[in-house]
Amino acid sequence: MSEIAKIEVNGSVYEFPVIEGTENEKAINISKLRGLTGGVTTIDPGYKNTGSCESGITFLDGEKGTLRYRGYSIEELAEKADFLEVAYLLIFGELPDAATLEKFQNDIKKQSIVDEEIKKIVDAFPKAAHPMGVLSSLTSALTAFNPNSVDVDSEEAMYNAVVKIMGKFPVLVAWTMRKNQGMPFKYSDSSLGYIENILKMMFKKPGEKYVQNPVLVNALDKLLILHADHEQNCSTSTVRIVGSSHAGLFASLSAGISALWGPLHGGANQAVLEMLAGIEEDGGDTAKYMAKAKDKSDPFRLMGFGHRVYKNFDPRAKIIKVAADEVLSDLGIEDPILNIAKGLEREALADDYFVSRKLYPNVDFYSGIIYRAMGIPTEMFTVMFALGRLPGWIAQWKEMRLRKEPIGRPRQVYIGENLRSFVPVEKR
Ligand code: CMC
């Protein structure tokens, strides 16, 4: 006998089924609420208690600090898999065998050519344009070069769309950075692996040989895996809701990039570094900023701390902290900003305000540190997040369409004026 939940409204009791997920998460299915009650709805700003869908992609338990893609723990994937294997797993549901993985890698390489016309679009942006705005626009521009909407019911069409965007996106990322730095655009090198190719396209200087550093390759690979999906966060929900109107894959991804841009979401990694730089400029007094973060009359928040769903240590942060230490020691970096980061981390983990609210450093606290050490400009940090999140967005978009989800259209509770009469302009 499945569980039911009862809701009493104005003396009448209504029953609703309780659904249970494979990890025993329970949810009251209120899809018939308005119909049964004659118009009563629910309200949940920020959707803190609202599930928007049933999904088989990522499992996250914020209380325990658990994150799994398709049933595999993030710890095991970060240690044993590479980014393209994880991308395949997320999008197609299973780990690829050797032949499938090789084909996936090769098909992505074949698609890593970007129409020359796109360069003109990149050129048209001012050099100082924020790379996230540029990336979102370029991803949107891909729809103009690929006008046919993908047929989600055709496995072949879906696969082709996946390798196309996975191939072209790193090129757009690299060009976005090089535009920002006034550097000539580099093409993809098909002799290289996905990560090595990204690093070369980003960092190769004219007239110089680019030498790969395995520590950086490993750190970037891990960072991308850790960012690859995170169930129904702000940008993923955006991708799903835009796609729910049957807008195309690239258009939906472009919307996801815009959602990711904000400092409370993907933009936090940039905000972390800006905050650290501000503290350094102000004399490096971390105690002063700890006090500001705790002062409710001060809008300052410690960026890179806290998480909407993790009320325990972010499991991704644990993994990436190790990679951050490796990168810093391999590159022999002594950076006052990074020392401030370490100081804040130490102080926050011992401070009752942060401990009692379960505000731990999140993945973006450490990812910003690694990106800085790698020489990636601060404004590019969120672009790197988008690069990692791409397979997750695609997987969620595909799932949403295959499950034939209805168009996303929330309700509201109207709190504006009641009916009133129009007053002509001369009488106002
Ligand atoms: N610094 C100081 N106080 C904080 C912070 C912070 N970073 N984060 C939360 N708090 C306090 C908040 O003031 C509140 O205190 P009280 O209970 O006394 O009113 C309490 O902790 C709970 O905060 P909340 O705003 O209700 O928590 P939330 O779940 O709505 O917000 C958050 C989550 C991530 C938006 C927030 O922690 C924050 O703004 N963090 C800084 C930005 C950041 O690092 N974002 C990246 C998130 S990870 C990347 C991603 O997945 O997108």
Side-chain angles (χ1 to χ4, degrees), residues 18 22-23 111 115 264 346 358 368 412:
V18 176
T22 47
E23 289 289 342
Q111 285 295 340
D115 196 304
L264 296 189
R346 205 172 37 244
K358 302 189 170 155
Q412 62 167 16

Side-chain angles (χ1 to χ4, degrees), residues 17-266:
V18 176
I19 63 160
E20 190 167 337
T22 47
E23 289 289 342
N24 310 113
E25 289 167 306
K26 290 186 178 177
I28 305 167
N29 180 346
I30 53 142
S31 54
K32 299 215 164 34
L33 179 72
R34 283 190 83 250
L36 289 173
T37 58
V40 176
T41 184
T42 55
I43 189 148
D44 185 19
Y47 311 119
K48 288 191 178 192
N49 304 281
T50 300
S52 60
C53 59
E54 290 174 62
S55 178
I57 301 172
T58 289
F59 173 67
L60 198 167
D61 182 335
E63 310 300 326
K64 294 195 185 125
T66 302
L67 176 62
R68 294 183 206 142
Y69 299 158
R70 302 278 189 191
Y72 296 98
S73 79
I74 192 67
E75 290 81 5
E76 200 175 10
L77 289 172
E79 190 194 330
K80 298 179 183 164
D82 69 25
F83 178 61
L84 284 193
E85 261 179 302
V86 169
Y88 190 95
L89 170 71
L90 283 167
I91 299 169
F92 300 106
E94 294 295 340
L95 284 168
D97 61 24
T100 309
L101 181 60
E102 196 186 338
K103 178 169 166 19
F104 189 52
Q105 288 161 340
N106 288 335
D107 290 338
I108 287 173
K109 278 184 188 172
K110 281 185 214 145
Q111 285 295 340
S112 59
I113 299 155
V114 171
D115 196 304
E116 280 292 295
E117 301 275 13
I118 293 262
K119 269 192 187 165
K120 293 188 196 154
I121 304 178
V122 187
D123 267 336
F125 281 101
K127 208 170 147 193
H130 193 286
M132 281 300 273
V134 177
L135 185 70
S136 166
S137 309
L138 295 180
T139 308
S140 193
L142 284 182
T143 51
F145 294 87
N146 301 274
N148 297 332
S149 177
V150 52
D151 173 6
V152 274
D153 293 315
S154 153
E155 277 181 27
E156 192 192 347
M158 197 59 223
Y159 178 85
N160 290 340
V162 169
V163 293
K164 195 176 257 185
I165 189 70
M166 290 290 297
K168 296 183 195 322
F169 202 69
V171 183
L172 302 184
V173 165
W175 286 5
T176 297
M177 181 175 118
R178 295 178 83 91
K179 162 78 190 181
N180 192 257
Q181 299 190 320
M183 297 260 281
F185 300 147
K186 280 291 304 163
Y187 285 96
S188 183
D189 179 342
S190 60
S191 70
L192 296 176
Y194 198 72
I195 305 296
E196 288 87 344
N197 186 35
I198 292 169
L199 288 169
K200 186 174 170 193
M201 280 195 295
M202 288 175 78
F203 291 115
K204 161 102 178 57
K205 295 210 174 79
E208 274 180 28
K209 195 172 174 322
Y210 181 73
V211 182
Q212 300 281 349
N213 177 341
V215 173
L216 298 192
V217 174
N218 176 51
L220 183 57
D221 196 38
K222 279 207 171 53
L223 271 168
L224 298 188
I225 291 173
L226 297 179
H227 282 91
D229 196 47
H230 214 228
E231 52 118 299
Q232 307 312 317
N233 56 82
C234 178
S235 58
T236 301
S237 300
T238 302
V239 169
R240 283 183 88 121
I241 206 161
V242 172
S244 77
S245 74
H246 292 197
L249 175 62
F250 299 163
S252 308
L253 294 172
S254 163
I257 296 168
S258 297
L260 187 72
W261 190 352
L264 296 189
H265 188 15

Side-chain angles (χ1 to χ4, degrees), residues 48 230 233 260 263-269 272 293-294 296 300-309 311 314 316 353-354 357 359 362-364 385 389:
K48 288 191 178 192
H230 214 228
N233 56 82
L260 187 72
L264 296 189
H265 188 15
N269 53 16
V272 168
K294 294 190 276 184
K296 294 287 164 203
F300 176 79
R301 274 191 169 196
L302 217 47
M303 299 313 287
F305 283 78
H307 198 276
R308 169 53 66 82
V309 287
K311 302 302 173 193
D314 179 341
R316 303 167 302 170
Y353 174 95
F354 286 88
R357 286 172 180 75
L359 299 170
N362 57 50
V363 69
D364 288 323
F385 188 158
R389 185 53 55 87

